[in-house]
Amino acid sequence: MPRIFRPTFLGVFGITNLQLGLAFSAYGVVAMIAYLPSGPLADLFSARRLMATALLATAAGGLVLTAIPPAGTLRWLYAFWGLSTILLFWSALIRATRQWGGEAWEGTAFGLLDGGRGLVAALLATVSVSLFAALMPADLDGVTDAERLAAFRQVILLFVAITALVACLVWFTIPDRESGSRGPEQMFRTTDALHVLARPVVWLQALIVVCAYVAYKGLDDVSLYAREVLGMDEVDAAYTSNLSMWIRPPAAVAAGIVADRWRVTRLTTLCFLCVAVGSALIASGQLGGEWTVFYLVLVATSAAIFAMRGLYFAIMREGRIPLRYTGTVVGLVSAIGYLPDVFMGPLMGFLLDRSPGPPGHQQVFATIAGFSLAGMLASSLYAFCVTRTDPPV
C-alpha cells in the first residue's frame, strides 16, 4: 500500500517519510532474524500449512491497520508482519516453486512465480486505486481529512480480504506433504549450513539479492516523485506507481523463460546495467517535468527490476545447489539479501526529508544506481566462480 499510496499513507497516518521508513526497518529487522529458521522449517514441514497460517496472521494484522494506529504502534505492526510473512512463508514458497519446476524448468517456474505475484499485485493495485478514486470527492483540492481517511480505510479492508482469500486458496491447492514422508537424503541436517557457508556462490547470490532489492525498494519513491517533482495529484501519482507494477508479470515470466535457454548471470548483469543507467538519468535531474521521458525510464527500469526478481533464486541452478539444500540456502541468502528491508526505508526517508523536493529524489536514485553497479560486478563474479568449480554443494 505505501508503494501505491505513499502520499496518501503519509497524510492519513500523520507521519513523515522517516517514520514510515522506521516502520519498514522494524519489518526488516524481524524478517532478517526470521529468514534463518525459516529455511530448516521449509525443509521439514508442509508448505501448505506453513503458508496458510502465515497468510491468515498477516490478514489479521491488516485489521489492526484499519484503526489507523500511531507511529509507534505502526512499527510494532510491521515487526509482526516481518514474522508472519517470513518465518512461516518465504522459504516454503521458494522450495515449493523449485520442486515444481524441476531442473529443466526452474527458471520458468520462478519467472511464473514472480510474474504471477506481479499480476495479482497489479490487479489489486488497479482495483484499489479505482476504489479509492471512486470514494474520493470529485474535487480533490477540497477533500477533507475525514473523507480521505474513510476512503483509505476501505482500501485497507480490500487488502485484508484478498490476503485471507489467498490463505484459503493455498490450503486447497498446495499438496500437503509431511516431513515424515521424505527420505533421509531430503531431511535437513545441521551440517547443511556448513556446506552452504563454504560456497562462494552463496555469498555472491546474497550480494546480488541485496543490490536487486535496493532497486526494488526504490520503486517505493515513484508515487511521491510523481507528486513532488512532476506535479501530479495523489490519484494520478498512485496510477503512475501502478504502471510499474503492470510491468512485473511479463518481465518476470519472459526473464524466467529466457533464463532456461541462456545463462542467468548474463541476463542478471544486463538487468543491473539497465537499472543503473535509468536511475542515473533520473538522479542527474535532467528529466525535470518531462512526463513522457520519465514514463519511458520507469517502464525500462521496472522491467529490469522485476526480471531480476524472477531470476535471483533461479540462479541456484547455475550455481549447482542441490534441491535438498534449498531451504537452507534460501534462509541464509535471504537473511543477508533482504537487508534493504532494514536500511533502505530509513535511508530514503532521511534523504527525502533532509532535502525536500527534487534534490532528495535525485539522491535516492543515485543510491540505486550505485548498488546496481555493485550488482553487475557480483553477477560477473558469480559466473566466474561457477566456471572455476565443477562439483555441486
Side-chain angles (χ1 to χ4, degrees), residues 101-112 252-265 267 310-311 314-315 317-318:
E103 286 194 20
W105 301 104
E106 189 170 317
T108 301
F110 278 105
L112 288 172
V253 173
I257 294 173
V258 172
D260 282 329
R261 294 158 176 80
W262 205 36
R263 292 191 66 171
V264 179
T265 47
L267 193 55
L311 294 173
I315 205 172
R317 180 189 59 191
E318 191 169 321

Side-chain angles (χ1 to χ4, degrees), residues 213-230:
Y213 204 64
V214 164
Y216 174 69
K217 294 292 289 183
L219 293 177
D220 287 347
D221 190 38
V222 169
S223 61
L224 196 62
Y225 180 94
R227 176 84 165 130
E228 294 185 351
V229 180
L230 300 181

Side-chain angles (χ1 to χ4, degrees), residues 318-343:
E318 191 169 321
R320 294 186 287 278
I321 304 296
L323 178 63
R324 67 179 180 274
Y325 293 115
T326 298
T328 304
V329 171
V330 170
L332 289 173
V333 167
S334 298
I336 300 169
Y338 291 114
L339 277 173
D341 271 333
V342 178
F343 68 80

